[in-house]
Amino acid sequence: MTNSTRAGKRERLAGAAVRVLHEQGVEKTTLADIARAADVPVGNVYYYFKTKDQLIEAAIEAHGHELDSMIEALERPATPQERLKALLRGWIGHSDLTARYGCPTGTLASELDKRDDGLDRAIAKVMGRLLDWVEAQFAAMGRQDARELAVALFASYQGIALLTNTFRDPGLMAMEGRRLERWIDSLS
Amino acid sequence: MTNSTRAGKRERLAGAAVRVLHEQGVEKTTLADIARAADVPVGNVYYYFKTKDQLIEAAIEAHGHELDSMIEALERPATPQERLKALLRGWIGHSDLTARYGCPTGTLASELDKRDDGLDRAIAKVMGRLLDWVEAQFAAMGRQDARELAVALFASYQGIALLTNTFRDPGLMAMEGRRLERWIDSLS
DNA sequence: GTCTATAAAAAGATAGAC
DNA sequence: GTCTATCTTTTTATAGAC
């Protein structure tokens, strides 16, 4: 087998892990679940990842790359206000998935915090990159309190994702999303 | 042994479970952990609870009673604005604990959602009672959009609790708490 | 009613055939 | 490099002595 095939399976496992960890949570997910989703035999997983931790770490990295791509796409709109609203609309667009499984980043962060491996720091870094991007938008709007506003917006999203998930009601996310859009408009 | 002793151990187990589940999470917590915290032999747990699920359910109920007591205490201030700000200050007062373990209700809701027993509905009901109380305060302020405001406030709290936990920074909670106090004042 | 010892099941990890 | 079979550990749950 060539190296490219090897890389392919590794990435397939990491990609499948992102999906399955979001749907089932870290602790309820077995290596067998991920292997099945990636169409790889269970025992073979250990050729690519020495431990379950290393596979989770790869999943965090893969999820981080997805978020980085999202951020890149969000750079298109001309004004920071429009960019932030595009972010909000992206979140609202996933409200059905959020109602079922919560925010992928938030649920992962919450669960990894309970483990004593260092993986909670990895997901914190990923979340930090998105938070920094939001802060940059508020700064571009000329706000001195950009960090505080970024934390507020991000917290509102994480919180409404949790409520949407807990009450299984995508409508909550749509309602709060509209409110946050009005709030962003009011800041200009 | 008398019934009162029996009830005592049952409640001690449920109370210990509330604490340990908050600190370690549902999935990382074993019955042995809870038994140790309650000072009860492991095997004896099954005399009081037939399954782990039933013990978790009792913990949810006990946590619900704690929240109900908190709500009762929050009724003291004369105006709804003061009552909401008292709630905020209570949250801020727990920011160190939140930085270490997250919001007890939110982390529980997030984790229980991944299980296929029905316990996620139980924690949703508990959270719903607090949300309803917040809504009642906004309604008492004469707001027609009381539900929307209640969802927004509660989401902000749940979200900032998650960020506070993820970044291990109690200061985030203090900062957002002050912002929310100003926001409540601005609504009158 | 209380507790110990142990069974049963699940999941992570490894050895070794191919 | 790939995969099967199996070992080990952990944790839930039960049987039965006291």
Side-chain angles (χ1 to χ4, degrees):
Chain A
M1 281 294 173
T2 64
N3 268 343
S4 72
T5 303
R6 170 176 177 168
K9 274 201 185 175
R10 230 193 102 95
E11 281 161 24
R12 225 162 65 217
L13 280 166
V18 174
R19 234 178 327 119
V20 178
L21 291 178
H22 180 208
E23 291 173 7
Q24 307 189 350
V26 176
E27 302 300 339
K28 297 296 279 186
T29 296
T30 66
L31 292 175
D33 292 332
I34 298 172
R36 197 182 318 116
D39 200 32
V40 167
V42 200
N44 199 357
V45 172
Y46 284 93
Y47 178 71
Y48 298 100
F49 302 97
K50 274 197 257 298
T51 63
K52 187 183 180 183
D53 268 28
Q54 286 190 10
L55 176 49
I56 295 173
E57 193 171 11
I60 295 169
E61 206 177 317
H63 178 60
H65 290 150
E66 288 174 9
L67 286 190
D68 292 342
S69 299
M70 184 189 75
I71 289 176
E72 216 173 329
L74 286 173
E75 294 287 2
R76 289 199 172 284
T79 68
Q81 285 92 337
E82 282 305 320
R83 289 195 284 272
L84 287 174
K85 287 198 264 184
L87 174 63
L88 282 177
R89 292 197 195 105
W91 282 337
I92 295 170
H94 291 115
S95 57
D96 284 324
L97 201 63
T98 306
R100 257 189 290 178
Y101 307 120
C103 165
T105 318
T107 54
L108 204 49
S110 179
E111 239 188 317
L112 290 178
D113 173 70
K114 305 300 187 191
R115 298 170 66 103
D116 36 16
D117 48 44
L119 294 179
D120 53 347
R121 297 304 88 206
I123 191 69
K125 273 184 196 167
V126 168
M127 195 182 279
R129 289 208 295 274
L130 185 49
L131 186 58
D132 288 345
W133 182 86
V134 173
E135 180 183 358
Q137 307 314 309
F138 283 117
M141 287 166 63
R143 303 285 311 204
Q144 294 300 308
D145 53 354
R147 188 67 185 177
E148 183 173 334
L149 295 177
V151 167
L153 179 64
F154 205 80
S156 284
Y157 163 62
Q158 283 299 333
I160 200 65
L162 187 101
L163 294 188
T164 296
N165 182 223
T166 300
F167 296 116
R168 300 235 192 290
D169 180 3
L172 287 177
M173 187 139 236
M175 179 176 77
E176 176 69 1
R178 284 191 299 271
R179 201 187 67 86
L180 290 171
E181 281 203 43
R182 291 197 301 273
W183 175 66
I184 288 171
D185 286 331
S186 77
L187 292 174
S188 310
Chain B
M1 281 293 174
T2 63
N3 268 341
S4 72
T5 304
R6 172 180 175 163
K9 274 202 185 175
R10 229 193 102 94
E11 281 162 26
R12 223 164 65 218
L13 280 166
V18 174
R19 234 179 326 120
V20 178
L21 291 178
H22 181 209
E23 291 173 6
Q24 307 189 351
V26 177
E27 302 300 337
K28 296 296 281 186
T29 296
T30 68
L31 292 174
D33 292 332
I34 298 173
R36 196 181 319 117
D39 200 33
V40 167
V42 200
N44 199 358
V45 173
Y46 285 93
Y47 178 73
Y48 297 99
F49 301 96
K50 273 196 257 301
T51 63
K52 186 183 180 183
D53 267 28
Q54 286 189 10
L55 177 48
I56 296 173
E57 191 171 11
I60 295 170
E61 205 177 318
H63 178 59
H65 290 149
E66 288 174 9
L67 286 190
D68 292 341
S69 298
M70 183 188 75
I71 289 176
E72 216 173 330
L74 286 174
E75 295 287 1
R76 288 200 173 284
T79 68
Q81 285 91 335
E82 282 305 319
R83 291 195 284 273
L84 288 174
K85 286 198 264 184
L87 174 64
L88 283 177
R89 291 196 196 105
W91 283 336
I92 295 170
H94 292 115
S95 59
D96 283 324
L97 201 64
T98 306
R100 254 188 293 180
Y101 307 120
C103 165
T105 318
T107 54
L108 204 49
S110 179
E111 239 186 318
L112 291 178
D113 173 71
K114 304 301 187 191
R115 297 170 66 102
D116 36 15
D117 48 45
L119 294 179
D120 53 347
R121 297 307 86 205
I123 191 69
K125 273 184 195 166
V126 168
M127 196 183 279
R129 290 208 295 275
L130 185 49
L131 186 57
D132 289 344
W133 182 86
V134 174
E135 180 182 359
Q137 306 315 307
F138 283 117
M141 288 166 62
R143 301 287 310 205
Q144 293 301 309
D145 53 352
R147 188 67 182 176
E148 184 173 334
L149 295 176
V151 167
L153 179 65
F154 205 79
S156 284
Y157 163 62
Q158 283 300 331
I160 200 65
L162 186 97
L163 294 189
T164 296
N165 182 223
T166 301
F167 295 116
R168 301 234 192 290
D169 180 4
L172 287 177
M173 187 139 234
M175 179 178 76
E176 176 68 3
R178 284 191 299 270
R179 201 188 66 87
L180 289 171
E181 281 203 44
R182 292 196 302 272
W183 175 68
I184 288 171
D185 286 332
S186 76
L187 291 173
S188 311

